[in-house]
Amino acid sequence: MDDTVQLDIQRFNPETGDEPYWQTFDVPVSPGDPVLAALMRVREEQDGSLAFRASCRSGICGSDGMVINGWPRLACKTQVADARDAHGMIRIQPLFNLACLKDLVVDQTPFWDKFRAVFPWLMPDTYEPEPEKERRMTMEPDDFQLLSKASDCIFCQICFAACPIVGLDQEFLGPQALIKAYRFEADPRDEGTPTRAPVLDDPEGVWRCRTIFNCTEACPKGIPITRGIQVLKRAMVQEELRR
Amino acid sequence: MRAVESKNLICDVVVVGAGLSGLRAALAVDPAYHVIVISKVYPVRSHSVAAQGGINAALDPEDRWQDHAFDTIKGSDYLADQDAAELMCEDAPRVVYEMEHWGTLFSRRPDGRIAQRSFGGQGYPRACYAADKTGRALYQSLFEQSIKHQVEVHQELFVLELAVEDGRAAGVIALDIATGNIVGIDAGAVIFGTGGAGMMYARTTNPYINTGDGMAIALRAGVPLKDMEFVQFHPTTLPGMNVLITEGARGEGAYLVNRDGQRFMERYAPKLMEVAPRDIVSRAIETEIDEGRGFDGGYVHLDLRHLGETLIRQRLSEIYDFAITYKGVNPVHNPVPVQPGQHYMMGGIATDKYGRTILPGFYAAGECAAVSVHGANRLGANSLLDTLVFGRLAGVEASRHVAQNGRAHVSTRRLRGAAETLGNIFARTGGEHYGTIRRELRETMTRMVGTFRTGSRLEDAQSRLKDLHQRYDGASLMDRGSLFNYDLLAFLETGFLLDLADTVVEGALLREESRGAHARVDFPTRRDAEFLCHFLFSRTPDGELKMAREPVVITHYEPKARTY
Ligand SMILES: Cc1cc2nc3c(=O)[nH]c(=O)nc-3n(C[C@H](O)[C@H](O)[C@H](O)COP(=O)(O)OP(=O)(O)OC[C@H]3O[C@@H](n4cnc5c(N)ncnc54)[C@H](O)[C@@H]3O)c2cc1C
């Protein structure tokens, strides 16, 4: 380790105090270290009580979403070298739009409730207990790429934290639930539009999105979320005309 | 910290683990029974989502499941139980179709059929894939089905103990991470799908949460572990964080090149070259590095450039992103540095091919189990298959057990005991922190119990482990709070890892031969006469490890020399 970085972390522990406070740690780092490696070092070597969730270390499991220098990001995909300011400092807070339970750990309940509300599974159920035959699926390569991209969601809640509408209106379904709905809408195997329409075609559904593009900009998997929501809006109009 | 017993949950079947094996087991339990799934993290954080390259199935009319079974058995260096490998490979096409019907978005061929690619040690391109995010694609469908079928999941419950009452599994005892309370879960049957133990090693592709909890908990409850000396090292991980570069990259045609610009695999596996099995490729890379043909910093190059930008960005999109994010290398223009890293535990809780253990009512599936279908070396893209095949069977068997034996109950005495144990840990002061102990454990395992092993280095590792155990027994916590106490969790996990490391080292010492991933420099050949058998480790009541041998099941394939 040839270098140190200063992590300025917003702490909160309801067992010991009612108010959040800031604490600074000087952490040794090596070139190429992501912010997560520095946080782990704090927990293993300096202050074991620092609470944050983490698992895969490679931007796949979605555990370590947090606000780094004012913008929601994955700590494992944010390089220390890129995030530190001129004074060698990085500011870290829990995700916006979700209640803080301890330090960087937030209450994910509203996020998951919204996800569950959009009937997030392939419909209809063609399930056979002993499937023997392959179902073919053909799509134009570009359409398949869009669908495949939409299915990249890792449930990291970063879009949810980045969306100003979610912050203002707790009833709004939010970008993650909507991109999930889009993932099925864009799947030629799916026929769930009529089932999902009552939830999506609602003032708190697709229509609450004001195309601010924060979700798209923040998504660590590069999913064009806003675009997906716009396609959903069109699908809802078509569905209304059909009915 | 108040280590108090709080609520009790009651069910017919409790599944520990919400990865692919755990969720598949839960969905297979007879709907008449109440299932509860427990996971120490939110389900979607389970490591299954990180799988990249593919899932094997002989789908193509030109391919046969028998050939898949043969490749698996040869890949295992003949240590796989052949009946189990046959069962798995025969079931594979059904599994893949089932997942497709449930919504998995596989990559497709132009005619709409599921695309398949080459994988290490396979005589046919039979790894079905979803770009290089196959685990995520499979997991999402299974997770979606679990929501649709209203599977009851309790996340952020950390299982501490398997409760054995009257000679049968009676449930588990867990710590509620959010509150610090102890929770008893009464059940008629218990299924573990708790995943791997890569955190035992410094260089690993595994996540922080893969700490072998389930295996160690089973061992402590008197259930034997099997094949623990066989640890898989994946040939291609990015130096530093050791993020995985999927074998699918080589399956698509990438080259391994040493510092002299030579495709060195031609000297180790002239026929299969880069897509030889992992044990062989990992040793080849280590040898190149040891003999001075690697790059400074201990790595070789993986060259993808000739594959072209379109293929790389569409079929290998994740690793394209990894190479840029973690190494600042764009694989379209430059070769990617790679080195071997721990990747998979072939060993685990000893089960039969229906997931049963020696303890009535206790089942295991997925990476935490050793059926054994992977033997001494797992072939790439066989593990996802393993989780889905054996997860389902474990769910079916557990239902049968409940039908015959009904529910059971975790005794209050045992719950109180668990609370007391935690209380004692909280009470210790002035001891060493787990952080230094775990770091030393991981360094020791990587340096002394890695790709190449020798008796003397293993003995050295063994005495270091003894020392680490002693230090661990006096270690104390930094955080004494109740809520989200990750200090406590990591402390407990370190204890699990230490217990497992003992079995890995002991097995490696006793196995005086080289087979699959276990390469003894001092015993360089395979010795079937003495060692064509599984080692089973169990704990005696006074904590000593005891080893028993179990014969390998052979059906059709006589052990032969293994060349590629
Ligand atoms: C980077 C990477 C890529 C891979 N790619 C492939 C591939 O392409 N093809 C392939 O076949 N295999 C691949 N593998 C291997 C494969 O992904 C894993 O072996 C498999 O997914 C394991 O699944 P599982 O269900 O057994 O466990 P996991 O998915 O690891 O789930 C374990 C579960 O157990 C729970 N748990 C653990 N301990 C406790 C506790 N104490 N209390 C409560 N809950 C607990 C966790 O919360 C989690 O839910 C890859 C592995 C890695 C590391």
Side-chain angles (χ1 to χ4, degrees):
Chain A
M1 305 238 170
D2 20 28
D3 200 2
T4 54
V5 65
Q6 230 180 46
L7 300 185
D8 200 15
I9 304 176
Q10 185 181 321
R11 307 286 312 261
F12 171 64
N13 182 356
E15 265 188 306
T16 53
D18 296 334
E19 291 299 320
Y21 60 98
W22 289 86
Q23 190 176 0
T24 308
F25 297 93
D26 289 316
V27 194
V29 284
S30 304
D33 272 352
V35 172
L36 180 63
L39 282 170
M40 263 300 170
R41 227 162 270 144
V42 172
R43 186 151 86 192
E44 275 195 17
E45 293 163 17
Q46 301 184 27
D47 185 348
S49 75
L50 180 67
F52 57 89
R53 299 180 173 113
S55 179
C56 79
R57 317 170 279 131
S58 53
I60 304 179
C61 78
S63 301
D64 64 341
M66 53 188 75
V67 173
I68 300 176
N69 296 337
W71 184 247
R73 305 169 210 268
L74 291 179
C76 61
K77 275 197 91 179
T78 308
Q79 295 290 319
V80 166
D82 298 336
R84 68 205 306 183
D85 65 12
H87 312 286
M89 167 108 91
I90 301 175
R91 278 170 75 87
I92 304 177
Q93 294 162 267
L95 282 180
F96 303 138
N97 298 342
L98 293 162
C100 175
L101 298 174
K102 184 184 174 190
D103 297 339
L104 305 172
V105 174
V106 292
D107 179 7
Q108 309 183 0
T109 315
F111 171 90
W112 289 107
D113 287 348
K114 287 166 201 243
F115 165 71
R116 278 196 201 94
V118 299
F119 303 92
W121 53 81
L122 193 74
M123 286 185 256
D125 196 339
T126 55
Y127 186 70
E128 317 153 29
E130 299 287 331
E132 276 169 12
K133 279 229 295 291
E134 182 167 353
R135 171 168 58 175
R136 297 195 180 200
M137 171 176 167
T138 42
M139 280 179 91
E140 290 302 319
D142 287 350
D143 292 341
F144 186 82
Q145 278 305 316
L146 278 171
L147 170 59
S148 168
K149 199 70 221 163
S151 76
D152 277 353
C153 173
I154 56 172
F155 304 90
C156 63
Q157 296 142 3
I158 281 180
C159 57
F160 198 82
C163 175
I165 312 281
V166 171
L168 293 170
D169 175 4
Q170 300 194 343
E171 299 303 311
F172 175 38
L173 272 179
Q176 195 274 342
L178 292 176
I179 195 65
K180 203 67 198 176
Y182 165 81
R183 174 252 173 273
F184 292 108
E185 185 62 37
D187 192 323
R189 299 171 297 176
D190 187 79
E191 293 165 17
T193 316
T195 314
R196 292 187 196 98
V199 186
L200 302 175
D201 189 6
D202 182 278
E204 301 293 358
V206 290
W207 306 113
R208 184 61 86 228
C209 167
R210 296 293 142 81
T211 57
I212 299 165
F213 284 92
N214 270 16
C215 54
T216 302
E217 200 179 327
C219 175
K221 302 311 276 186
I223 304 172
I225 304 176
T226 316
R227 182 192 178 282
I229 300 176
Q230 295 311 102
V231 175
L232 268 186
K233 287 181 182 168
R234 200 170 57 202
M236 288 307 109
V237 174
Q238 276 162 1
E239 177 63 17
E240 223 168 286
L241 292 176
R242 199 185 57 79
R243 254 182 291 160
Chain B
M1 160 91 189
R2 321 146 284 139
V4 296
E5 317 114 49
S6 69
K7 60 179 174 182
N8 262 22
L9 298 170
I10 298 171
C11 61
D12 295 300
V13 180
V14 62
V15 179
V16 183
L20 282 173
S21 59
L23 283 190
R24 189 63 193 86
L27 284 166
V29 170
D30 185 330
Y33 294 127
H34 179 193
V35 190
I36 289 182
V37 177
I38 290 177
S39 170
K40 66 176 175 179
V41 291
Y42 270 78
V44 295
R45 317 299 182 211
S46 302
H47 190 54
S48 292
V49 299
Q52 298 176 358
I55 174 168
N56 289 323
L59 297 186
D60 199 280
E62 306 278 292
D63 196 6
R64 300 182 328 139
W65 69 259
Q66 290 88 346
D67 294 341
H68 180 188
F70 171 71
D71 289 342
T72 300
I73 290 160
K74 181 179 174 192
S76 81
D77 221 345
Y78 294 91
L79 198 76
D81 286 324
Q82 299 188 358
D83 57 338
E86 287 173 324
L87 182 157
M88 177 177 86
C89 297
E90 187 174 5
D91 200 26
R94 186 198 62 77
V95 164
V96 169
Y97 296 149
E98 173 172 87
M99 294 307 298
E100 196 281 335
H101 281 53
W102 269 338
T104 302
L105 201 60
F106 285 106
S107 296
R108 301 281 173 158
R109 303 173 213 231
D111 67 0
R113 289 181 314 152
I114 293 170
Q116 294 182 287
R117 61 161 63 120
S118 298
F119 243 68
Q122 301 284 354
Y124 199 88
R126 62 169 77 92
C128 309
Y129 61 93
D132 54 353
K133 47 195 183 193
T134 312
R136 178 152 80 236
L138 291 170
Y139 189 80
Q140 288 193 350
S141 312
L142 208 56
F143 179 58
E144 289 154 12
Q145 290 302 316
S146 77
I147 292 175
K148 178 179 171 193
H149 291 99
Q150 300 178 330
V151 173
E152 182 178 332
V153 181
H154 294 256
Q155 60 260 331
E156 301 196 322
L157 277 189
F158 183 100
V159 170
L160 302 162
E161 275 181 43
L162 170 64
V164 183
E165 310 278 358
D166 305 322
R168 67 177 280 199
V172 292
I173 300 173
L175 174 78
D176 185 341
I177 298 175
T179 61
N181 290 337
I182 302 277
V183 185
I185 298 114
D186 293 347
V190 179
I191 303 174
F192 272 17
T194 50
M199 283 299 280
M200 197 187 292
Y201 283 82
R203 287 184 185 172
T204 177
T205 61
N206 281 199
Y208 292 126
I209 62 168
N210 273 19
T211 46
D213 308 5
M215 299 180 199
I217 289 169
L219 181 71
R220 291 174 186 181
V223 179
L225 304 181
K226 180 159 78 185
D227 294 343
M228 290 303 287
E229 62 275 29
F230 298 104
V231 178
Q232 178 159 83
F233 297 88
H234 196 290
T236 55
T237 76
L238 295 176
M241 297 279 273
N242 295 98
V243 171
L244 179 75
I245 298 297
T246 177
E247 190 165 289
R250 281 171 286 133
E252 297 286 356
Y255 302 145
L256 283 168
V257 186
N258 65 17
R259 135 196 206 153
D260 305 326
Q262 197 182 33
R263 274 181 76 187
F264 53 86
M265 281 312 297
E266 64 196 15
R267 280 185 274 115
Y268 302 89
K271 269 198 253 146
L272 282 188
M273 297 288 287
E274 278 86 356
V275 289
R278 289 175 181 173
D279 55 334
I280 294 174
V281 183
S282 285
R283 282 196 291 271
I285 295 176
E286 294 273 351
T287 306
E288 292 298 300
I289 295 170
D290 289 348
E291 294 179 358
R293 292 186 296 276
F295 294 87
D296 287 345
Y299 59 85
V300 295
H301 274 158
L302 181 71
D303 197 342
L304 293 91
R305 291 175 293 183
H306 55 285
L307 302 180
E309 176 155 6
T310 313
L311 187 152
I312 294 175
R313 297 198 58 172
Q314 289 189 355
R315 282 194 240 164
L316 301 167
S317 56
E318 291 274 322
I319 63 157
Y320 169 80
D321 190 40
F322 291 153
I324 292 178
T325 307
Y326 298 109
K327 287 275 116 183
V329 171
N330 182 339
V332 173
H333 304 299
N334 290 297
V336 180
V338 290
Q339 65 182 194
Q342 190 283 348
H343 184 60
Y344 185 85
M345 302 298 288
M346 264 74 75
I349 301 166
T351 72
D352 67 10
K353 61 185 177 193
Y354 303 107
R356 292 182 292 213
T357 68
I358 60 158
L359 177 67
F362 178 53
Y363 304 81
E367 189 167 343
C368 74
V371 178
S372 143
V373 281
H374 308 303
N377 175 60
R378 171 176 76 92
L379 291 188
N382 263 354
S383 168
L384 293 175
L385 180 60
D386 166 359
T387 63
L388 294 170
V389 170
F390 295 105
R392 171 168 162 272
L393 291 173
V396 171
E397 279 305 313
S399 311
R400 205 189 313 261
H401 176 82
V402 174
Q404 285 164 0
N405 302 285
R407 287 183 178 173
H409 179 68
V410 182
S411 68
T412 326
R413 180 186 52 79
R414 194 177 285 280
L415 276 175
R416 213 167 287 144
E420 250 174 55
T421 308
L422 285 192
N424 291 339
I425 295 170
F426 275 90
R428 281 190 225 153
T429 50
E432 190 177 349
H433 188 239
Y434 79 83
T436 45
I437 297 172
R438 192 168 71 171
R439 210 168 323 129
E440 263 184 62
L441 166 69
R442 299 179 64 190
E443 289 297 333
T444 302
M445 294 303 283
T446 290
R447 266 188 307 117
M448 300 180 175
V449 200
T451 357
F452 288 108
R453 301 162 173 187
T454 67
S456 62
R457 259 189 292 173
L458 289 169
E459 274 163 13
D460 200 358
Q462 204 164 39
S463 72
R464 276 164 202 257
L465 280 178
K466 209 172 254 159
D467 170 58
L468 290 172
H469 272 287
Q470 262 168 16
R471 285 157 55 190
Y472 181 77
D473 290 341
S476 58
L477 301 176
M478 281 198 220
D479 183 10
R480 293 191 167 70
S482 313
L483 319 182
F484 295 96
N485 188 334
Y486 290 102
D487 198 42
L488 172 65
L489 300 187
F491 174 91
L492 297 168
E493 290 169 344
T494 302
F496 294 145
L497 289 172
L498 281 169
D499 283 6
L500 292 183
D502 286 344
T503 63
V504 175
V505 174
E506 181 75 10
L509 256 176
L510 293 176
R511 189 170 283 278
E512 296 185 327
E513 66 160 352
S514 289
R515 181 187 297 271
H518 172 68
R520 283 283 295 261
V521 178
D522 41 355
F523 296 96
T525 56
R526 195 176 82 194
R527 297 165 63 196
D528 286 341
E530 235 179 306
F531 291 111
L532 184 61
C533 63
H534 304 288
F535 288 174
L536 266 72
F537 284 100
S538 46
R539 280 261 195 100
T540 63
D542 51 10
E544 290 296 301
L545 274 184
K546 197 177 67 192
M547 195 272 274
R549 289 165 183 254
E550 194 181 80
V552 171
V553 178
I554 301 217
T555 56
H556 299 107
Y557 311 93
E558 272 310 309
K560 282 197 284 223
R562 183 167 164 257
T563 52
Y564 287 97

